[in-house]
Amino acid sequence: MVETSSGRLHPHGQRRGVAAFVAANKTLLTAVWVVGFTLVFLWQSASISGGTGAGGGGGFLRLRLAPLPPARPAPRLRPTAYNLTDFGGVGDGRAVNTEAFERAVEAIAVLAERGGGQLNVPPGRWLTAPFNLTSHMTLFLAEGAEILGIPDEKYWPLMPALPSYGYGRERKGPRFGSLIHGQNLKDVVITGHNGTINGQGEVWWLKHRRRMLNNTRPPLVQLMWSKDIIVSNITLRSSPFWHLHPYDCTNVTVSNVTILSPVSGAPNTDGIDPDSCQDVLIENCYISVGDDAIAVKSGWDQYGIAYDRPSSNILIRNVTARSLVSAGISIGSEMSGGIANVTVENVRIWESRRGVRIKTAAGRGGFIHNISYRNITFDNVRAGIVIKVDYNEHADDGYDRSAFPDIKGISFNEIYGRGVRVPVRAHGSDIIPIKGISFQDMSVGISYKKKHIFQCSYVEGRVIGAVFPKPCENLDIYDEQGQLVKRAVTLNSTEVDYDI
């Protein structure tokens, strides 16, 4: 036993005293611990600036924020490179930089014989009216660079209607030219460290809804009658109309591009619309817009038939798409010059009204041949696969009522999904049948329990192997070895429970 008279505390009494103190002052001790931990953290994360505060006597603790990493230098992709600031550009979001862009393009145009030139757009907000590109040019948008379209329509030039459309897509007469434009060009690159081209389309969308515009709204980027085009590693957003519109171009690559606009309230803001184009690659893109994410086109009714320039040899792969209003990937509806040899693979479509869609009508003429879909995933999509032949929106009353499009050779392989209300709605007609359609390796989780969720009419084709949900009886059934199991029952229609 330890005596208290010796000046030593009894150890059991010490434990009891500490425990009693802790119990009585738990809130106070917790607050002290929090304050102490915070001070240690601040001491480790900060330094005393000059040892004192202002005036040398305050001793204030000043956080030293980690410096922003230096901007990545733009790689030299051409023999000669300029900065927009070399031509008087000011990136404050208020100064109008149209003349700076135009002077830069003029300087690059004279370098064509020497390999062209590169225009670097540094970090900043570069307000501008529309301007043109030139051949053998690279437009490079640094990280943090944003080209802004001026929202006042008086700065936007009017251009003739596209010859395969007859007039502006929304209004008769001329159309507004795009923010970034080019015609009859060769070897054009638009790229960067994920800089942004922003159309600031909100004013345009509002005026369109209120019918305050006399001409068709402008695309964001439009290149016409050009070849050897690359658009990569940038963001396009809030276009007044379609975001990226290659028109009658050859050898086009769109890679690692993000395209964004509101999924509602931003009408006709398609993502990428290759139109009468050949040899196109669209890959590794994320698109969430107010209309079709990607729509392959080739002209409208009699104007497209007369222009006679198909879209062909198009590969769309590794794309994530969202469209609450329309579809992830569309063919048409303007397809009067014909569309052939399109492959869509490794695509995820989420939170959308439709997944993949083919749309046309009597009066379009033209053809849709050899369209292949592989490894497509639908996630919470109202209708997965839609083929529609009564999309009766016409340029004018001069279209040929007997110009019937020809649809054949449409294949669907490795189609998956969940939360899909109608996996398939393929409706031809007696004058526009769907020929040579096939489904293989399909398993789509459904959210709608009525009987006819795989809908068909006026279709001819086959189902190979396991397909879920149960396919319509309009199709021949084959096993995995390609042996016929059951012939189609000739049906001209499947009951439709509601409109898609």
Side-chain angles (χ1 to χ4, degrees):
M1 181 175 180
V2 179
E3 296 181 3
T4 60
S5 60
S6 65
R8 289 174 294 181
L9 296 175
H10 192 290
H12 300 293
Q14 182 184 21
R15 293 192 191 99
R16 286 195 297 270
V18 171
F21 178 79
V22 169
N25 297 276
K26 180 180 288 186
T27 302
L28 175 63
L29 289 172
T30 300
V32 170
W33 183 88
V34 170
V35 170
F37 179 84
T38 302
L39 289 173
V40 171
F41 175 79
L42 291 174
W43 174 74
Q44 291 179 333
S45 304
S47 62
I48 302 299
S49 178
T52 62
F60 292 112
L61 190 67
R62 181 174 297 172
L63 289 177
R64 178 175 293 165
L65 298 176
L68 292 174
R72 286 183 289 173
R76 183 179 288 271
L77 305 175
R78 301 280 183 180
T80 303
Y82 300 110
N83 290 327
L84 186 60
T85 51
D86 297 336
F87 301 91
V90 178
D92 62 0
R94 298 185 300 272
V96 178
N97 292 279
T98 314
E99 291 186 3
F101 278 109
E102 291 173 343
R103 286 194 293 265
V105 173
E106 288 174 2
I108 291 172
V110 303
L111 302 173
E113 299 299 323
R114 288 172 278 169
Q118 175 173 327
L119 175 60
N120 297 323
V121 182
R125 305 180 76 238
W126 309 89
L127 186 67
T128 182
F131 64 92
N132 294 322
L133 303 181
T134 188
S135 292
H136 309 292
M137 175 180 178
T138 296
L139 178 65
F140 190 95
L141 281 73
E143 184 177 11
E146 186 173 24
I147 297 176
L148 298 169
I150 196 165
D152 190 338
E153 67 186 82
K154 71 181 181 183
Y155 288 92
W156 295 69
L158 290 175
M159 301 182 63
L162 296 170
S164 62
Y165 283 73
Y167 63 94
R169 182 61 178 77
E170 298 175 316
R171 300 284 187 272
K172 292 184 177 181
R175 59 194 176 89
F176 287 104
S178 59
L179 179 64
I180 297 178
H181 193 80
Q183 296 185 20
N184 301 300
L185 303 183
K186 181 179 181 181
D187 178 24
V188 173
V189 179
I190 305 174
T191 189
H193 287 147
N194 199 33
T196 298
I197 303 172
N198 185 342
Q200 301 199 103
E202 295 83 358
V203 171
W204 296 92
W205 307 333
L206 180 62
K207 288 184 176 180
H208 173 72
R209 289 195 297 269
R210 294 180 176 176
R211 303 191 67 82
M212 297 169 62
L213 296 170
N214 296 321
N215 302 93
T216 295
R217 289 170 290 153
L220 188 60
V221 178
Q222 183 181 61
L223 299 175
M224 304 172 59
W225 304 303
S226 299
K227 63 181 179 180
D228 304 333
I229 307 299
I230 296 175
V231 181
S232 67
N233 301 307
I234 61 170
T235 294
L236 306 177
R237 67 182 311 139
S238 298
S239 175
F241 192 53
W242 301 341
H243 282 81
L244 177 58
H245 185 210
Y247 179 81
D248 199 349
C249 292
T250 303
N251 193 21
V252 178
T253 298
V254 183
S255 181
N256 292 296
V257 172
T258 300
I259 304 179
L260 304 171
S261 68
V263 292
S264 62
N268 304 106
T269 50
D270 292 13
I272 306 171
D273 287 5
D275 198 340
S276 293
C277 290
Q278 297 183 332
D279 303 326
V280 177
L281 171 62
I282 301 171
E283 64 176 358
N284 305 323
C285 294
Y286 179 91
I287 307 171
S288 178
V289 289
D291 208 293
D292 293 318
I294 298 173
V296 182
K297 302 175 180 293
S298 67
W300 200 9
D301 290 352
Q302 71 272 29
Y303 305 104
I305 294 171
Y307 193 70
D308 193 24
R309 178 71 169 176
S311 281
S312 64
N313 301 332
I314 296 174
L315 173 58
I316 301 167
R317 66 185 179 192
N318 306 330
V319 169
T320 298
R322 184 186 187 201
S323 172
L324 279 183
V325 173
S326 193
I329 312 293
S330 283
I331 306 294
S333 74
E334 306 93 330
M335 42 64 60
S336 301
I339 296 173
N341 303 329
V342 178
T343 298
V344 181
E345 62 184 15
N346 305 331
V347 169
R348 176 177 178 258
I349 301 166
W350 65 288
E351 295 288 345
S352 296
R353 183 173 178 84
R354 305 171 188 88
V356 298
R357 178 163 70 157
I358 295 173
K359 45 184 177 176
T360 185
R364 290 286 191 270
F367 53 85
I368 298 174
H369 291 171
N370 302 327
I371 314 296
S372 173
Y373 301 89
R374 186 186 68 82
N375 193 21
I376 311 297
T377 300
F378 305 129
D379 187 353
N380 194 18
V381 172
R382 183 178 172 92
I385 296 167
V386 177
I387 304 178
K388 181 180 178 69
V389 300
D390 59 350
Y391 199 85
N392 289 311
E393 184 184 24
H394 298 284
D396 54 40
D397 289 334
Y399 69 94
D400 182 357
R401 271 73 171 170
S402 63
F404 303 132
D406 185 53
I407 305 174
K408 68 179 181 182
I410 317 296
S411 66
F412 299 92
N413 194 0
E414 300 174 53
I415 308 298
Y416 311 114
R418 64 175 185 174
V420 179
R421 185 168 182 178
V422 173
V424 177
R425 187 182 185 193
H427 287 299
S429 69
D430 56 343
I431 55 175
I432 310 174
I434 302 166
K435 298 168 288 186
I437 192 171
S438 67
F439 298 90
Q440 183 174 7
D441 187 7
M442 177 173 172
S443 179
V444 177
I446 56 176
S447 61
Y448 190 67
K449 304 303 182 183
K450 287 197 175 183
K451 181 178 180 180
H452 298 295
I453 53 177
F454 196 124
Q455 303 174 2
C456 306
S457 62
Y458 295 98
V459 300
E460 172 271 314
R462 64 179 60 188
V463 171
I464 303 170
V467 167
F468 180 85
K470 182 181 178 180
C472 56
E473 296 182 326
N474 310 55
L475 304 169
D476 295 331
I477 307 297
Y478 288 76
D479 62 22
E480 296 285 358
Q481 289 70 43
Q483 301 297 314
L484 179 65
V485 174
K486 180 182 177 183
R487 285 286 184 193
V489 176
T490 303
L491 296 174
N492 288 334
S493 65
T494 297
E495 178 186 346
V496 180
D497 295 311
Y498 54 88
D499 186 38
I500 295 296

